[in-house]
Amino acid sequence: THGGTMDNKVVLINESPFIKFYYKDEELPLPNLLPSDKINDFAWSHDGKYLILAHNSPPFFISTYKCFGDKFLKMPNPMISVGTSSLCCKFSPCNTYLIVGHEKAPFLSFYKHRRDLNSLYRLTNPFFMPKGAVRKIEYSNDGQYVTITQDAEPTIFTYKITGETYIKLDKDK
């Protein structure tokens, strides 16, 4: 798996030793405090300043880095661990919210990205939560909806987002 910042300055390749960083075809030194196990997914903030890794390394199963040009600084872990491998992750279009999909319950975790404090705060889970491992998360371009793909019925469902509240749409019963 690979991908880059929105301006294609930095590219991430997921291979042994689980991660490599490149800038203009030159491999960069790895940042300190990398996950010790497989990285399942990653998400860049839309401004290219933050990188989230979804992985199998306990206890937090996600890692956050702030990017300064070609340097990566490890940010603090969220205050609350979900205790299960992270399979996928996605920033909202406004870079304020992050959703992480997991292998086991609670299957999703919702965070608010506090740039002023360089940290992630766990939000309250919505009333309707997935019943299976979450494989994909996609926000609408306007950030008002998010679609989740899971390993249970319904395999795909959508939340409407109002502020920090996620409400499952009825059409996905």
Side-chain angles (χ1 to χ4, degrees), residues 18 20 32 54 67 80 94 100 121 129 141 145 161 173:
F18 305 116
K20 290 185 180 184
N32 292 335
C67 306
I80 301 170
C94 65
V100 179
Y121 285 91
M129 289 289 283
N141 289 337
Y145 299 90
I161 305 164
K173 292 180 182 176

Side-chain angles (χ1 to χ4, degrees), residues 46-97:
H46 292 269
D47 61 7
K49 293 182 180 177
Y50 293 88
L51 171 67
I52 302 288
L53 303 178
H55 53 77
N56 296 341
S57 299
F60 292 97
F61 301 99
I62 61 172
S63 298
T64 308
Y65 299 89
K66 186 169 184 178
C67 306
F68 298 94
D70 62 354
K71 305 275 188 273
F72 295 85
L73 176 65
K74 173 78 171 74
M75 305 310 298
N77 289 322
M79 299 292 277
I80 301 170
S81 171
V82 295
T84 181
S85 293
S86 298
L87 301 177
C88 56
C89 53
K90 193 73 163 187
F91 272 104
S92 65
C94 65
N95 296 322
T96 303
Y97 299 100

Side-chain angles (χ1 to χ4, degrees), residues 109-120:
S109 50
F110 297 79
Y111 297 92
K112 183 171 187 176
H113 184 214
R114 293 283 311 267
R115 288 170 176 249
D116 56 333
L117 300 174
N118 284 320
S119 59
L120 294 172

